[in-house]
Amino acid sequence: MAVTIRDVAREAQVSVATVSRALSSPDLVRPATRDRVLNAASQLGYQPNRAARGLITGRTGNLGIVVPDLNNPFFTGVLKGVQARARQADYAVFVADSDEDRATEEQLVRAMAKQVDGVIVCSPGIDDTQLYEAAGITSLVMLNRRLRGVPAALMNSASGMRQIVDHLVALGHRKLVYLNGPRTSWSNKERRRGLRLATQQHGVELIELGPFPPRYEGGLQACDLALAAKPTAIMAYNDIMALGVLARLRDRGVSVPEDVSVTGFDDLMFAELCSPPLTTVAMPLATAGTLAVDLLLDGLSTGQTEVRHVDLDTQLIVRATTSPPPA
């Protein structure tokens, strides 16, 4: 038979109400009594009923996360970190996919707010006003979007793009094309910021094209336009777009990296497995997911008013799609 709260109370020689307080509001119970209750619960293997605990604490024991596209392995990488950390904290995770639609994204955040203790929004496309409204109805943490007053886990895309430009310039490239991601993407804006600073610093030519869908088809669509500009290197918004570029270059008989170099961004599993293996920037996906949950739980447990924006480092991974430009 399952161990009940009455069994714990009997073992600890306290009332059921004291056990309830020791588990849900430990600061309200004397340390000696609290320790006795916790020891009894541990020895008996007591697991609090989530629904009953919710009635006491007003918490659901659930967290929500909204992502733009579950087909994109970038977001499944983030989810690995979110779920692992939530599981450690005894929280369940509800996942929703907005399919890159801003109206759907806002609706999902509002719907989740009624069912969870807090929501993580990955790379949100909705505007600042909508995000502030969402933060007013639930505990909100963003991943890869900076907004004053809202906690965020951030991956340093600007630094990653500067590393790509430094690498290409060191190889001798002087004419670069960048294939933009979504117009509303904060990550794309950060990439462009790092890109422009680096190309200006090195005095090399930069041609920006797009925006394009951040998918394989977006790379196919963008490749012919990029080739028409006659660059020596093509930089894609993300790895999936870069795979589309590589496929289209292969169809047109353009050799990589002999005729043109190609870079991606994110360092997804496919980047190492494609042919040739893709030069890209590694993003700390699982670490960012873990951090987002920690920021959310910190706010829930302490009610703290401090808003933290935490930047995580990115790292260039050099593989076989980049080399010196043709003579």
Side-chain angles (χ1 to χ4, degrees):
M1 294 178 61
V3 178
T4 69
I5 194 170
R6 295 183 183 279
D7 297 325
V8 177
R10 189 180 306 112
E11 178 70 19
Q13 298 182 339
V14 296
S15 68
V16 170
T18 299
V19 174
S20 177
R21 282 196 299 273
L23 296 176
S24 61
S25 303
D27 293 341
L28 301 180
V29 180
R30 287 185 299 177
T33 303
R34 181 181 64 225
D35 291 345
R36 197 160 73 245
V37 170
L38 294 178
N39 287 335
S42 176
Q43 290 173 7
L44 295 174
Y46 174 67
Q47 295 293 328
N49 179 279
R50 189 179 293 276
R53 183 172 60 186
L55 291 174
I56 297 170
T57 65
R59 299 275 175 80
T60 66
N62 302 317
L63 303 178
I65 180 168
V66 179
V67 300
D69 184 6
L70 277 174
N71 284 327
N72 187 335
F74 176 94
F75 297 109
T76 54
V78 170
L79 279 172
K80 285 284 189 182
V82 168
Q83 291 184 319
R85 181 67 186 94
R87 193 181 304 116
Q88 290 174 353
D90 194 27
Y91 274 82
V93 179
F94 294 170
V95 182
D97 182 350
S98 68
D99 200 27
E100 299 281 358
D101 183 79
R102 297 174 70 182
T104 301
E105 184 175 68
E106 182 187 16
Q107 292 167 4
L108 288 171
V109 173
R110 289 184 175 277
M112 274 193 167
K114 303 172 185 177
Q115 307 172 58
V116 300
D117 297 329
V119 178
I120 298 167
V121 191
C122 288
S123 304
I126 54 179
D127 62 34
D128 292 355
T129 300
Q130 293 169 313
L131 285 169
Y132 280 128
E133 289 174 354
I137 61 175
T138 187
S139 294
L140 192 73
V141 167
M142 295 188 298
L143 191 145
N144 268 7
R145 173 82 173 267
R146 189 187 299 272
L147 185 64
R148 181 177 297 176
V150 181
L154 307 166
M155 291 177 260
N156 198 333
S157 292
S159 171
M161 191 55 77
R162 288 197 298 271
Q163 294 175 58
I164 286 178
V165 174
D166 291 346
H167 167 65
L168 292 173
V169 170
L171 290 174
H173 293 272
R174 292 296 180 269
K175 188 174 184 180
L176 315 177
V177 161
Y178 175 62
L179 308 179
N180 278 279
R183 191 184 307 276
T184 59
S185 166
W186 179 85
S187 294
N188 188 63
K189 292 174 184 175
E190 286 295 289
R191 284 163 170 66
R192 292 177 66 196
R193 182 170 67 85
L195 182 64
R196 290 174 175 178
L197 287 172
T199 52
Q200 288 170 9
Q201 177 185 351
H202 289 294
V204 296
E205 183 178 356
L206 171 65
I207 300 167
E208 292 192 49
L209 300 175
F212 299 100
R215 300 186 172 110
Y216 183 83
E217 296 77 14
L220 293 174
Q221 172 191 350
C223 185
D224 290 336
L225 294 173
L227 282 179
K230 301 188 185 310
T232 60
I234 300 172
M235 302 172 290
Y237 165 73
N238 65 11
D239 288 348
I240 298 180
M241 282 179 63
L243 293 180
V245 170
L246 290 174
R248 182 59 182 154
L249 290 172
R250 191 160 48 244
D251 291 343
R252 291 193 53 176
V254 178
S255 296
V256 177
E258 292 80 10
D259 298 328
V260 64
S261 291
V262 176
T263 67
F265 215 101
D266 293 342
D267 194 30
L268 305 179
M269 178 180 66
F270 310 117
E272 188 172 10
L273 299 179
C274 69
S275 181
L278 181 66
T279 294
T280 186
V281 170
M283 300 278 268
L285 306 182
T287 302
T290 299
L291 173 61
V293 174
D294 284 337
L295 291 173
L296 198 54
L297 295 180
D298 285 348
L300 289 172
S301 63
T302 65
Q304 63 183 20
T305 56
E306 178 190 3
V307 174
R308 297 170 60 203
H309 290 167
V310 183
D311 288 278
L312 299 172
D313 291 335
T314 55
Q315 181 180 0
L316 176 70
I317 306 295
V318 178
R319 297 195 179 102
T321 57
T322 51
S323 71

